[in-house]
Amino acid sequence: MKFVAIVAIINLANYVLVMIGVGRARQTWQVQAPPVSGPPEFERALRIQQNSVEQLIMFLPGLYLFAHYVQAETAAGLGLAYLVGRIIYQRQYSRGLNRGVGFMLGFFVNVVLLGGALVGVLLKFGSLD
C-alpha cells in the first residue's frame, strides 16, 4: 500500500501545481478574484484546475478501493497512468490543443479503478457466504 500512497501524493502534488498555475494565470492576465472569465489563456488554466478536481473526486477513492479489494501494485500502476494522462491533458489544453488523448487516458483509468473496485467488493462479499 505504500506505493499507492506515494502515487496518491504525487497526483495531489500535481494538483497543487495546477492550482499554482491558475494563480500565475490570474497575475499574468490580470484577472483578480473572484471573476472566472478573462482571456482564453486564463480560462484554459482555470478549466484545467476545475477538471482536475472533478477527476480527483473519482480517482482517489477508486485508487484506494481498487488497492484494497483487488491489488495494490496494479492500483499504483494505474495511478501512474492516470498521472501521465493528466499531464498530457494539462499540457495540451494549456496550449489550446486537442486534450482528448490525455483526458481519455485519465478517464479510462478512473473507469478501470472504479469498475475493478466494484468487482473486488462484490467478490469479497460473495466469499463471505
Side-chain angles (χ1 to χ4, degrees):
M1 286 292 279
K2 66 181 171 187
F3 294 119
V4 174
I6 291 168
V7 167
I9 291 166
I10 292 169
N11 275 284
L12 290 168
N14 180 59
Y15 179 67
V16 169
L17 294 176
V18 168
M19 291 188 320
I20 291 169
V22 173
R24 286 185 179 153
R26 281 194 181 278
Q27 288 177 336
T28 299
W29 302 105
Q30 299 176 357
V31 179
Q32 299 302 312
V36 294
S37 62
E41 297 84 356
F42 166 74
E43 291 182 1
R44 284 195 296 269
L46 185 62
R47 187 64 200 126
I48 289 167
Q49 185 267 332
Q50 291 170 335
N51 184 265
S52 295
V53 77
E54 292 163 2
Q55 295 295 313
L56 277 173
I57 290 169
M58 292 184 289
F59 171 70
L60 290 173
L63 178 71
Y64 278 97
L65 289 168
F66 188 100
H68 182 76
Y69 288 102
V70 182
Q71 186 186 44
E73 293 81 6
T74 303
L78 288 166
L80 290 175
Y82 173 85
L83 178 65
V84 169
R86 294 311 304 167
I87 290 170
I88 292 169
Y89 169 84
Q90 293 156 7
R91 289 188 177 186
Q92 294 296 96
Y93 200 15
S94 68
R95 296 179 182 139
L97 302 173
N98 186 330
R99 62 202 185 273
V101 172
F103 177 84
M104 290 308 294
L105 177 56
F107 183 76
F108 174 76
V109 169
N110 271 335
V111 169
V112 170
L113 288 172
L114 294 174
L118 176 61
V119 170
V121 167
L122 292 175
L123 291 173
K124 185 88 162 181
F125 283 143
S127 68
L128 293 177
D129 292 346

